[in-house]
């Protein structure tokens, strides 16, 4: 019987194999997306494991935000091995050739590092010669932006260095990381140490290589208490590997979830296609029933065909996915710390293929259930529709829908970083699909119930096509709408985040910040700004301090208390200020702000809301701080909410004026420029005079964030492209499977005197309305999603990029019309007799 079922399935498909192949193409890209992403993920994990030592560049590292104490230096000496030190800090780089400046991350190196892997430079020998030649390696992007060539000079602080070469790749850093702050490597021995004066931020690092292959993780475990007490961080090869593995796994798993959507869309297209295909096979099934075939045998015939479609789609998708695997590292190159070699991951191929076949079968089963209800009488009466004899069919459909939902949710949980994210992802996808389906149903009902009376016949007929029997409007709305939703949501999210930075460019707001200004330099810097006819919008002191006690309990005792929630707020360094008034970005939510100190009690202190929650303090509680060895105490008199998006100096702690005014501090001076030329000139002038001062141009920050988000957006849109193309394939398939209905309509219209132009206008109207409905629904849902993301994730003002969304909508509508017309070509040329013979 099985042999006969397979044989008949093959024979029955004759004459329809091209159509069945078209059905398959809608799920091929989904399989390809899964195979390519998961294969890349396996190869990435393999590359990280193989090059784990090059990620750190050493066997062990110690890192601290302050110079190592004598006790830590003793530990470093006792560990032995080969050692290399590095000091990193942010400072202005001045380029005399162009008289320009740029804030950069300066790394002062000793010879030796990295012990594993290499620093890639252009020319290659510059990676080693810069240490002996008093040279500098400069990030390649920075060199291109400022037209810097090898042999030019760069000044950092009071010292100048010859540019030895371009810095291309280094351990622990990717191209995306370097976009935030370009790197400049210089010899540690030639570094200007005045840039590391009191109040300056710097990271001090020492790297170890052990020839005896001792276990670095065990060393860290033994020394953990001592190092933690001295606020020394450690990193080992295993920790570095695990960190990269975790973050990059989350990245490719997320992309896999985006790719999975194209498989779901394709499977919906397959289900819709099989529904129409079964309708066209009613006569064949009825004849089989007349000759004695059971309902389950006829069901098995078309289930075998659906399985064959799934297998063929899985094979084609896997082949394409393996090919695309070589493209993924190029797309994600800026986010990768290692080179990922091409290698076929057979486990990923098997998983992607199994997912393709499984999802296709599950979605195909729903329309295949109708086969069992086709009676033998349908062989004699073409208008005899399948009927359900009892409620069993409905129950089976609900059970099948439940299985499909469980299957999709289970895969999302497997693919997502956490179970909660997987469940949330599944719920969000279900909600989007449900809303798209509701929108499609509403459109069809409105057009069917209230046809417009004041439009031409062409428009009426085109709209009527969207609710004709066995139409594919629902599937096409789901496919096109979801692809639009993905791309639109990314555009809105990007605009929302960039919009927060754009606020800094509004009239009157500061967009140029000078910091690390020493007290003796404040008046001179203000004078230079005013001489350049620029405004001084703010000047404020910043004092570095650390908490020493909370509510009378020392930080050391709280750290050792295993029952206490010791958080980031207890251990971090704070930069605080003093003033007698609130800033525009601050609102008191508890207590009252006291801006002056009389000297007769504890210093009045205002605390930011989130830090107050982390420290578990409220009005009246006491806090003590250590300022370079001097302890001061304050009493909380107010709790503030701070709008951190404002481009101004904001603080966690604000002391009353008159209490700590004489404490060691550096100052921040803020101004505003209207042109990049003004900004460049004043920055260069200040840095030439005072090399220790750094500055931030908000327009440069905005450019960096735009570059970062353009890269992230490109990655996500690359994956969303699978869904968009799948949607267009589903649209093509829907047009092709309803082609005979369109031919009938065309012949009838032509017989009644309609010209080719009128027929084409009717089709154009149909695709226009469909494209507009799908695009507007997708964009509308993305606006809701974008608002939710901006409100609850970014906590930012919602920004709507009207022009970008308008272009996206027009593009989707144009593609819908183009694909529909392309697949409908030649319909008008069919002869009436040919159609009538097929009908009879």
């Amino acid at each position: 019987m099985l042999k006969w079922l397979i044989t008949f399935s093959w024979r029955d498909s004759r004459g329809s194999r091209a159509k069945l192949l078209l059905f398959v193409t809608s799920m091929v890209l989904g399989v390809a997306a899964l195979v390519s992403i998961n294969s890349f993920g396996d190869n990435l994990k393999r590359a990280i494991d193989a090059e784990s030592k090059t990620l750190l560049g050493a066997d062990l590292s110690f890192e601290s935000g302050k110079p190592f104490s004598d006790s830590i230096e003793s530990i470093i000496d006792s560990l032995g091995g080969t050692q290399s030190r590095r000091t990193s800090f942010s400072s202005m780089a001045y380029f005399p050739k162009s008289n320009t400046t740029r804030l950069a991350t300066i790394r002062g190196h000793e010879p030796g590092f990295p012990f594993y892997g290499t620093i890639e430079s252009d020319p290659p020998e510059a990676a080693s010669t810069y240490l002996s030649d008093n040279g500098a390696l400069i990030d390649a992007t920075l060199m291109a932006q400022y037209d810097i060539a090898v042999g030019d000079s760069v000044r950092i602080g009071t010292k100048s260095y010859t540019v030895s070469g371009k810095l291309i790749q280094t351990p622990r850093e990717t191209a995306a990381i370097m976009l935030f702050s370009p790197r400049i490597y210089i010899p540690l021995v030639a570094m200007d140490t005045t840039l590391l004066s009191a109040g300056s931020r710097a990271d001090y690092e020492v790297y170890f290589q052990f020839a005896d292959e001792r276990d670095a993780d065990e060393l860290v475990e033994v020394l953990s208490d001592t190092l933690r007490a001295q606020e020394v961080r450690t990193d080992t090869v295993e920790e570095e590997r695990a960190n990269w593995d975790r973050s990059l796994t989350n990245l490719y798993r997320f992309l896999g979830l985006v790719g999975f959507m194209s498989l779901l869309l394709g499977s919906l297209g397959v289900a819709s296609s099989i529904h129409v295909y079964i309708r066209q096979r009613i006569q064949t099934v009825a004849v089989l029933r007349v000759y004695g075939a059971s309902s389950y045998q006829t069901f098995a015939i078309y289930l075998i065909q659906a399985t064959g479609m799934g297998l063929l789609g899985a094979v084609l998708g896997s082949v394409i996915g393996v090919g695309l695997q070589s493209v993924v590292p190029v797309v994600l190159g800026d986010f990768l710390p290692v080179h990922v070699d091409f290698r076929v991951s057979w486990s990923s191929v098997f998983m992607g293929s199994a997912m393709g076949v499984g999802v296709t079968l599950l979605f195909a089963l729903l329309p295949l259930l109708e086969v069992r209800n086709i009676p033998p009488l349908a062989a004699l009466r073409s208008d005899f529709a399948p009927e359900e004899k009892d409620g069993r069919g409905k129950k089976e459909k609900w059970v099948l829908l439940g299985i499909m939902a469980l299957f999709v949710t289970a895969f999302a949980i497997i693919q997502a970083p956490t179970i909660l994210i997987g469940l949330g992802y599944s719920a969000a996808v279900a909600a989007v699909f449900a809303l798209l389906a509701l929108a499609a149903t509403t459109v069809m009902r409105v057009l069917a119930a209230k046809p417009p009376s004041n439009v031409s016949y062409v428009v009426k007929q085109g709209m009527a096509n969207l609710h004709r029997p066995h139409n594919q409007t629902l599937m096409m709305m789901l496919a096109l709408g979801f692809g639009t939703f993905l791309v639109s949501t990314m555009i809105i999210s990007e605009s929302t985040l960039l919009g927060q930075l754009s606020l800094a460019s509004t009239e009157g707001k500061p967009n140029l910040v000078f910091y690390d200004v020493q007290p003796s330099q404040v008046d001179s810097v203000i004078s230079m700004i005013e001489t350049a006819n620029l405004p001084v919008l703010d000047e404020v002191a910043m004092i570095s301090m650390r908490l020493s006690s909370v509510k009378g309990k020392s930080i050391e005792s709280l750290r050792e208390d295993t029952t206490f929630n010791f958080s980031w707020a207890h251990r971090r360094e704070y930069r605080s200020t003093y003033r007698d008034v609130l800033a525009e970005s601050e609102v008191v939510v508890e207590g009252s702000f006291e801006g002056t100190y009389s000297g007769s009690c504890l210093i009045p202190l205002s605390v930011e809301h989130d830090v107050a929650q982390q420290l578990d303090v409220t009005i009246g509680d006491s806090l003590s701080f250590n300022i370079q060895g001097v302890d001061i105490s304050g009493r909380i008199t107010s709790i503030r909410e701070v709008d951190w998006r404002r481009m101004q100096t904001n603080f966690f702690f604000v002391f009353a004026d008159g209490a700590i005014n004489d404490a060691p501090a550096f100052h921040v001076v803020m101004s505003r420029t209207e042109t990049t030329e003004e900004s460049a000139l004043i920055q260069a002038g200040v840095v030439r005079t005072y090399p220790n001062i750094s500055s931030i141009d908000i327009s440069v920050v905005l450019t960096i964030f735009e570059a970062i988000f353009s890269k992230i957006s490109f990655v996500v849109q690359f994956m969303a492209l699978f869904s968009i193309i799948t949607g267009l394939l589903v649209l093509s398939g829907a047009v092709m499977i309803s082609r005979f209905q369109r031919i009938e309509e065309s012949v009838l219209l032509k017989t009644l005197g309609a010209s080719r132009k009128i027929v084409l206008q009717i089709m154009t109207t149909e695709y226009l309305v469909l494209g507009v409905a799908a695009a507007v629904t997708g964009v509308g849902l993305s606006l809701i999603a974008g608002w939710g993301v901006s409100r609850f994730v970014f906590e930012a003002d919602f920004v709507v990029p009207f022009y970008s969304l308008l272009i996206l909508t027009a593009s989707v509508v144009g593609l819908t019309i183009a694909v529909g017309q392309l697949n409908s070509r030649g319909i008008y040329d069919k002869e009436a007799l040919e159609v009538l013979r097929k009908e009879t």
Side-chain angles (χ1 to χ4, degrees):
M1 180 59 65
L2 179 60
K3 180 180 179 181
W4 179 83
L5 290 173
I6 296 174
T7 302
F8 191 88
S9 298
W10 175 253
R11 290 176 177 175
D12 180 70
S13 66
R14 287 184 296 189
S16 302
R17 288 170 188 165
K19 188 182 298 184
L20 291 174
L21 182 62
L22 178 62
F23 300 166
V24 168
T25 58
S26 62
M27 50 85 66
V28 164
L29 283 182
V31 175
L34 288 178
V35 170
S36 61
I37 288 296
N38 288 326
S39 293
F40 162 76
D42 285 351
N43 290 337
L44 177 61
K45 186 175 181 3
R46 190 179 296 110
I48 289 176
D49 290 341
E51 301 184 36
S52 55
K53 285 193 173 184
T54 65
L55 294 175
L56 180 61
D59 294 319
L60 172 67
S61 71
F62 285 2
E63 303 170 20
S64 177
K66 56 185 178 181
F68 296 119
S69 64
D70 292 340
S71 60
I72 297 299
E73 288 289 357
S74 298
I75 293 175
I76 293 173
D77 292 339
S78 67
L79 290 178
T82 306
Q83 301 178 8
S84 179
R85 300 199 180 219
R86 180 169 83 175
T87 300
S88 303
F89 57 94
S90 294
S91 181
M92 299 300 293
Y94 172 65
F95 306 106
K97 178 182 176 181
S98 57
N99 192 33
T100 55
T101 59
R102 178 70 161 88
L103 182 66
T105 296
I106 313 301
R107 300 206 187 281
H109 277 267
E110 282 185 346
F113 180 82
F115 299 116
Y116 307 105
T118 59
I119 295 175
E120 296 182 25
S121 64
D122 181 22
E125 62 273 11
S128 57
T129 58
Y130 85 99
L131 291 169
S132 56
D133 297 343
N134 193 39
L137 295 178
I138 300 180
D139 174 57
T141 304
L142 183 61
M143 291 186 67
Q145 288 176 343
Y146 288 83
D147 194 25
I148 304 166
V150 174
D152 292 343
S153 64
V154 56
R155 196 181 81 182
I156 300 168
T158 59
K159 296 192 175 183
S160 294
Y161 308 86
T162 301
V163 178
S164 301
K166 297 178 182 178
L167 185 61
I168 300 174
Q169 181 71 46
T170 69
R172 310 187 74 177
E173 295 175 329
T174 65
I177 292 175
M178 287 191 180
L179 277 177
F180 281 105
S181 180
R183 272 44 173 171
I184 297 179
Y185 283 13
I186 60 175
L188 182 62
V189 295
M191 190 172 64
D192 182 1
T193 56
T194 62
L195 298 175
L196 304 177
S197 58
S200 299
R201 284 184 179 270
D203 287 323
Y204 299 85
E205 306 162 76
V206 57
Y207 292 88
F208 301 86
Q209 182 188 37
F210 301 123
D212 53 5
E213 298 184 356
R214 73 185 76 173
D215 192 327
D217 293 287
E218 285 188 6
L219 283 175
V220 169
E221 185 65 26
V222 172
L223 298 171
S224 59
D225 291 339
T226 303
L227 297 176
R228 191 182 303 114
Q230 293 285 334
E231 297 179 342
V232 175
R233 305 180 300 276
T234 62
D235 210 350
T236 65
V237 172
E238 181 58 28
E239 289 175 347
E240 189 78 0
R241 184 203 61 77
N243 289 337
W244 279 110
D245 190 37
R246 181 169 54 253
S247 59
L248 292 174
T249 296
N250 290 343
L251 172 63
Y252 81 76
R253 281 186 172 179
F254 166 73
L255 296 178
L257 285 173
V258 177
F260 182 55
M261 289 304 96
S262 62
L263 179 58
L264 290 181
L265 289 175
S267 299
L268 287 171
V270 169
S272 177
S273 302
I274 289 181
H275 171 75
V276 176
Y277 179 69
I278 293 301
R279 289 282 177 177
Q280 296 171 350
R281 284 292 191 270
I282 289 178
Q283 290 288 318
T284 303
V285 174
V287 170
L288 286 173
R289 297 295 307 279
V290 168
Y291 280 98
S294 68
S295 61
Y296 286 99
Q297 288 171 340
T298 53
F299 171 80
I301 289 171
Y302 294 99
L303 180 62
I304 290 172
Q305 289 186 4
T307 303
M309 291 169 55
L311 289 172
L312 179 60
V315 171
L316 292 176
S318 296
V319 171
I320 296 174
V322 169
L324 283 174
Q325 180 187 331
S326 60
V327 178
V328 177
V330 177
V331 175
L332 298 177
D334 291 330
F335 303 92
L336 303 179
V338 294
H339 175 73
V340 181
D341 294 323
F342 178 87
R343 182 174 176 181
V344 178
S345 172
W346 293 109
S347 61
S348 298
V349 171
F350 175 78
M351 180 181 177
S353 300
M355 285 296 304
V357 175
V359 173
T360 301
L361 283 179
L362 280 174
F363 279 78
L365 280 174
L366 204 58
L368 283 177
L369 291 176
E370 298 178 9
V371 172
R372 299 178 309 155
N373 300 320
I374 299 175
L377 187 58
L380 301 175
R381 293 176 56 186
S382 61
D383 61 339
F384 196 91
E387 295 182 359
E388 293 182 1
K389 298 179 180 180
D390 50 37
R392 181 187 60 181
K394 290 184 178 179
K395 292 180 181 178
E396 290 177 343
K397 287 181 180 179
W398 281 110
V399 169
L400 186 57
L401 287 171
I403 294 174
M404 291 163 60
L406 289 174
F407 184 84
V408 172
T409 303
F411 179 81
I413 291 174
I414 293 172
Q415 194 76 12
T418 66
I419 294 177
L420 187 60
I421 292 176
L423 291 173
Y425 186 84
S426 301
V429 169
V432 172
F433 275 128
L435 290 172
L436 284 170
L438 177 62
T441 304
T442 302
V443 168
M444 289 188 289
R445 287 181 177 176
V446 169
L447 293 178
K450 296 180 179 180
S453 57
N454 57 345
V455 297
S456 65
Y457 165 77
V458 168
V459 175
K460 287 183 180 180
Q461 185 63 29
M463 291 182 175
N465 285 348
L466 293 173
H467 58 85
R468 65 152 72 94
H470 310 309
N471 67 80
Q472 298 295 296
T473 303
L474 177 60
M475 287 301 106
M476 291 188 284
M477 280 278 290
L478 288 174
L480 295 173
F482 193 81
T484 305
F485 168 79
L486 288 177
V487 176
S488 181
T489 301
M490 189 62 206
I491 292 174
I492 292 172
S493 299
E494 180 180 354
S495 298
T496 296
L497 285 176
L498 293 178
Q500 307 316 303
L501 290 176
S502 297
L503 293 175
S505 62
T506 56
E507 185 176 355
K509 299 290 185 181
N511 60 9
L512 182 60
V513 182
F514 294 96
Y515 63 97
D516 278 348
V517 182
Q518 299 303 310
S520 60
Q521 301 169 340
V522 173
D523 292 339
S524 178
V525 170
I526 291 177
S527 176
M528 293 175 69
I529 294 173
E530 292 175 341
T531 302
N533 294 319
L534 299 174
V536 177
L537 300 179
D538 196 9
E539 182 270 313
V540 63
M542 284 190 179
I543 302 170
S544 298
M545 59 183 67
R546 289 183 177 274
L547 276 170
S548 57
S549 70
V550 177
K551 295 190 286 191
K553 295 183 178 180
S554 69
I555 292 297
E556 289 75 14
S557 64
L558 294 176
R559 181 187 287 112
E560 295 172 357
D561 186 353
T562 57
T563 64
F564 182 77
N565 182 25
F566 194 81
S567 68
W568 58 268
H570 293 86
R571 59 176 172 265
R572 66 161 289 162
E573 181 182 47
Y574 292 97
R575 293 194 171 184
S576 306
T577 193
Y578 52 86
R579 57 170 175 246
D580 57 3
V581 294
L582 289 172
E584 292 180 359
S585 59
E586 300 172 327
V587 176
V588 173
V589 293
E590 291 185 48
S592 60
F593 182 78
E594 297 183 19
T596 57
Y597 175 59
S598 62
S600 60
C601 58
L602 292 177
I603 302 170
L605 179 63
S606 182
V607 185
E608 192 269 341
H609 180 265
D610 291 339
V611 169
Q613 287 186 330
Q614 289 289 324
L615 296 176
D616 190 25
V617 294
T618 187
I619 304 298
D621 288 341
S622 63
L623 297 174
S624 294
F625 298 84
N626 183 279
I627 304 176
Q628 296 189 23
V630 177
D631 285 331
I632 61 168
S633 297
R635 178 179 58 86
I636 299 175
T637 60
S638 66
I639 296 177
R640 297 164 294 120
E641 283 190 351
V642 178
D643 185 356
W644 297 100
R645 298 168 296 176
R646 294 285 189 94
M647 187 54 218
Q648 61 187 68
T649 49
N650 294 311
F651 300 90
F652 288 116
F653 296 103
V654 175
F655 290 80
D657 187 27
I660 58 172
N661 299 41
D662 295 330
F666 68 89
H667 292 249
V668 173
V669 180
M670 307 182 77
S671 180
R672 177 175 181 82
T673 62
E674 300 301 331
T675 65
T676 55
E677 290 77 12
E678 285 182 340
S679 178
L681 285 174
I682 187 62
Q683 287 184 82
V686 170
V687 171
R688 280 198 308 269
T689 306
Y690 301 112
N692 64 287
I693 296 178
S694 298
S695 62
I696 299 177
D697 186 338
I698 303 305
S699 63
V700 175
V701 175
L702 183 61
T703 301
I704 292 171
F705 271 87
E706 286 177 343
I708 290 288
F709 277 100
S710 67
K711 292 180 181 296
I712 297 174
S713 178
F714 173 72
V715 171
V716 176
Q717 290 178 20
F718 172 77
M719 295 307 304
L721 186 64
F722 285 92
S723 295
I724 294 175
I725 296 176
T726 298
L728 295 176
L729 289 173
V730 172
L731 172 64
S732 300
V735 174
M736 292 300 292
I737 62 180
S738 60
R739 185 179 177 85
F740 185 73
Q741 290 175 306
R742 296 174 186 278
I743 290 174
E744 285 183 307
E745 177 187 317
S746 175
V747 167
L748 178 60
L749 291 172
K750 185 166 62 173
T751 303
L752 294 175
S755 65
R756 181 189 299 271
K757 179 180 179 181
I758 290 177
V759 173
L760 291 177
Q761 286 177 342
I762 291 173
M763 292 182 183
T764 301
T765 301
E766 176 184 352
Y767 300 129
L768 174 63
V769 174
L770 174 66
V772 169
V776 169
T777 304
V779 171
L781 291 177
S782 72
L783 288 172
I784 297 173
W787 175 85
V789 170
S790 64
R791 175 69 177 81
F792 300 106
V793 178
F794 298 148
E795 297 183 355
D797 294 333
F798 181 44
V799 177
V800 180
F802 290 102
Y803 292 112
S804 298
L805 296 183
L806 185 62
I807 292 173
L808 176 63
T809 302
S811 301
V812 172
V813 173
L815 283 172
T816 304
I817 295 173
V819 171
Q821 292 288 4
L822 183 64
N823 285 282
S824 300
R825 66 189 185 281
I827 286 179
Y828 186 83
D829 298 326
K830 295 292 182 179
E831 298 295 334
L833 185 59
E834 177 184 353
V835 176
L836 290 174
R837 282 174 175 172
K838 286 186 177 181
E839 179 65 22
T840 56

